[in-house]
Amino acid sequence: MNDQTAGSNDRLDGNTHTTGAPPPRRSRGKWIVIGIAALVALLIAFAILRPHSGQNKGTGRRHTQTAGAGDVQPVAVATVRTGDMPVILHLIGTVVPVTNVTVTPRVSGHILKVYYQEGQHVHAGDELELIDPRPYEATLAQYEGTLAADRAQLEKARVDNARYQRLIRQDSTSAMTARDQEFTVQQLEGQVKFDEANVRNAQLNVMYCHIIAPVEGRVGIRALDMGNYVTAGQSGGLTTLTQMQPISVIFTVPQNQLGSVAEHLRASGSLNVEAWNSEDTQKIASGTVKALDSQIDTATGTVRMRAIFTNEDETLFPNQFVNAHLLVNTLQNVLLVPGNALQTGPDGQFLYVVKPDMTVADVPVKVGATNDSDAVILSGVSLGDRVVTDGVSHLRPGAKVSIPDTNAAASTSEQSAATGRQHRKDRNGQQSADATAKSNDPASTSDKH
């Protein structure tokens, strides 16, 4: 009975706890729903407000740009001036010797001697090498002997012919015999001429054994050393001989520049030209050009010109690549502006001109010849106009500009430097005085103790 009563009480207690549990679950679910709703509201608000903030930022940028457009832009200016302008063509050229000889043997034989050093400067007529001449000297002696014998026979035939001619006048011999003797003399005269030709040919062969420099120049690397056997007309030759002084530079002129170059060349007879190094940073030599080539190269549309340089210090070397600066003409008393003042727009080239009210205007100009620093202005501006050379990146027509006084800035910097030096001097002097006073002050000594 008690057990049943206890069991029933336990069930009642369990039912009581089960019935009281749901209220906390409903509270937690309620807060979860409220949190989700708040999060959704925040996301909606963020999505709605975000475009407005970007638009406000864009408006701020526009306001900033509008405010910046009214600022005064500092610029550097130059004044349009008059002067002389050299018209110079920058062309590509190659150093080519006036004379370049490949020394080849004209007879066959062994090289007995070599008289030059590689890279040596030689004069025309100097002996370079010697090919064994003994076989050719022997042939020469043989032909000379044959010539002497035939000359003796010719003299004997002439004496006989003179005797027969006297006998025929005395009717002491037949006319046929006298006539045959005349033919014998003529035959021997032809043989003597043949022998003389053989002798001259043998003499030439002996002379060709001595390799002689045909021109003055510099000897290159030799192809064969002493003791080698060479043949007449051997390919590659024995060495090369290059004339170094004077030397030439061959460069090409575009056909669209040919008319102006030819006109001034005919008028003056010669044009000045300068040779610069391959980087076009240093001048090497100065020379003149006097002639054009006879035709235009159809493959490149250019015509060749040869400039002559004295090359006394041999700074120009054969096959060297150079930049040729050809002075075609010098324009007298023309309007000049710095090259960095020129600007290019949709309608062509223009200049920013500073007006009296310190605003700028874009003025179209017609440009003539230019070089590395200046440009010729044919129309658009006048002498004395001020043009902007630096600070054009933010300029617009009508923009307000200022021109810094570079002289005043320089003087101000110098004054500041002088003031700084004076202050340092005064400070150093004050420190020295303080140090002296401190050293003389008895209190300082006592402080140390």
Side-chain angles (χ1 to χ4, degrees):
M1 189 69 184
N2 292 331
D3 293 339
Q4 292 177 357
T5 304
S8 62
N9 291 334
D10 291 338
R11 285 192 299 270
L12 289 174
D13 292 336
N15 293 333
T16 303
H17 291 303
T18 302
T19 305
R25 291 195 193 97
R26 286 196 298 271
S27 300
R28 286 196 297 272
K30 178 181 179 180
W31 286 110
I32 290 171
V33 171
I34 293 172
I36 292 173
L39 180 60
V40 171
L42 287 175
L43 292 175
I44 294 173
F46 177 75
I48 295 173
L49 294 177
R50 183 177 181 180
H52 293 287
S53 63
Q55 184 175 0
N56 292 335
K57 290 181 182 178
T59 305
R61 284 196 298 269
R62 287 196 297 271
H63 286 307
T64 302
Q65 292 177 356
T66 304
D71 295 340
V72 177
Q73 177 70 29
V75 295
V77 299
T79 303
V80 179
R81 69 187 193 281
T82 58
D84 297 340
M85 178 69 171
V87 180
I88 299 176
L89 299 182
H90 294 252
L91 308 167
I92 297 175
T94 305
V95 179
V96 178
V98 177
T99 303
N100 189 32
V101 180
T102 300
V103 181
T104 56
R106 304 181 70 175
V107 294
S108 301
H110 288 86
I111 300 176
L112 288 184
K113 292 182 180 180
V114 176
Y115 297 105
Y116 66 89
Q117 299 292 330
E118 295 175 340
Q120 177 185 348
H121 286 267
V122 298
H123 301 281
D126 290 349
E127 187 171 0
L128 303 178
E129 297 186 16
L130 175 65
I131 297 175
D132 188 1
R134 290 172 294 183
Y136 302 100
E137 291 174 347
T139 303
L140 174 60
Q142 179 182 354
Y143 288 145
E144 289 176 341
T146 303
L147 175 60
D150 290 340
R151 280 177 176 173
Q153 292 181 6
L154 176 59
E155 289 300 324
K156 179 179 179 298
R158 286 173 177 172
V159 172
D160 292 341
N161 182 51
R163 185 166 54 248
Y164 282 121
Q165 294 304 319
R166 287 195 302 269
L167 293 175
I168 194 64
R169 287 193 296 269
Q170 298 172 2
D171 293 332
S172 299
T173 185
S174 64
M176 184 179 62
T177 303
R179 189 62 176 168
D180 289 343
Q181 190 61 34
E182 291 178 1
F183 291 144
T184 301
V185 170
Q186 293 176 1
Q187 181 181 0
L188 291 174
E189 287 176 348
Q191 183 64 40
V192 167
K193 287 184 178 180
F194 178 77
D195 294 338
E196 289 174 346
N198 286 335
V199 169
R200 285 195 298 269
N201 186 52
Q203 290 173 343
L204 284 176
N205 288 334
V206 173
M207 184 183 69
Y208 292 154
C209 291
H210 302 267
I211 308 297
I212 305 299
V215 295
E216 181 177 353
R218 181 174 179 174
V219 183
I221 305 299
R222 63 174 175 268
L224 294 173
D225 296 324
M226 184 174 61
N228 285 279
Y229 186 84
V230 296
T231 58
Q234 180 172 333
S235 62
L238 301 175
T239 186
T240 57
L241 182 59
T242 303
Q243 183 178 352
M244 301 292 292
Q245 301 173 352
I247 204 167
S248 70
V249 172
I250 293 181
F251 55 90
T252 56
V253 178
Q255 62 180 1
N256 58 350
Q257 301 284 350
L258 181 58
S260 176
V261 172
E263 178 183 355
H264 290 90
L265 184 59
R266 285 193 299 267
S268 60
S270 65
L271 298 176
N272 294 327
V273 63
E274 295 178 349
W276 289 60
N277 61 2
S278 58
E279 292 81 14
D280 208 14
T281 57
Q282 181 181 1
K283 176 184 172 182
I284 302 176
S286 299
T288 58
V289 58
K290 296 183 178 180
L292 286 164
D293 201 355
S294 58
Q295 58 185 354
I296 295 176
D297 187 352
T298 57
T300 60
T302 58
V303 61
R304 297 192 307 168
M305 299 186 74
R306 184 193 292 268
I308 303 298
F309 296 81
T310 57
N311 201 30
E312 295 176 353
D313 52 358
E314 295 189 5
T315 53
L316 294 175
F317 208 78
N319 297 332
Q320 179 183 0
F321 171 79
V322 295
N323 288 281
H325 294 186
L326 179 64
L327 177 61
V328 179
N329 188 22
T330 301
L331 303 176
Q332 304 290 334
N333 197 27
V334 293
L335 289 179
L336 299 176
V337 298
N340 57 352
L342 287 173
Q343 307 298 321
T344 302
D347 299 328
Q349 292 182 304
F350 66 94
L351 294 171
Y352 278 117
V353 178
V354 180
K355 297 191 293 186
D357 60 353
M358 298 305 293
T359 60
V360 295
D362 54 339
V363 178
V365 292
K366 185 176 180 181
V367 183
T370 61
N371 58 18
D372 295 337
S373 58
D374 295 323
V376 176
I377 302 301
L378 302 179
S379 63
V381 294
S382 303
L383 178 64
D385 288 347
R386 294 182 299 176
V387 296
V388 179
T389 59
D390 193 12
V392 299
S393 57
H394 301 290
L395 288 184
R396 297 294 182 272
K400 198 78 173 179
V401 297
S402 64
I403 303 173
D405 189 354
T406 56
N407 295 330
S411 61
T412 302
S413 62
E414 291 178 358
Q415 291 177 1
S416 300
T419 303
R421 289 193 298 268
Q422 184 64 32
H423 287 170
R424 287 193 298 271
K425 180 178 179 181
D426 295 341
R427 187 166 57 253
N428 293 335
Q430 182 65 33
Q431 289 176 356
S432 300
D434 294 343
T436 304
K438 188 174 182 180
S439 62
N440 293 330
D441 189 4
S444 63
T445 306
S446 60
D447 291 341
K448 291 181 182 179
H449 292 295

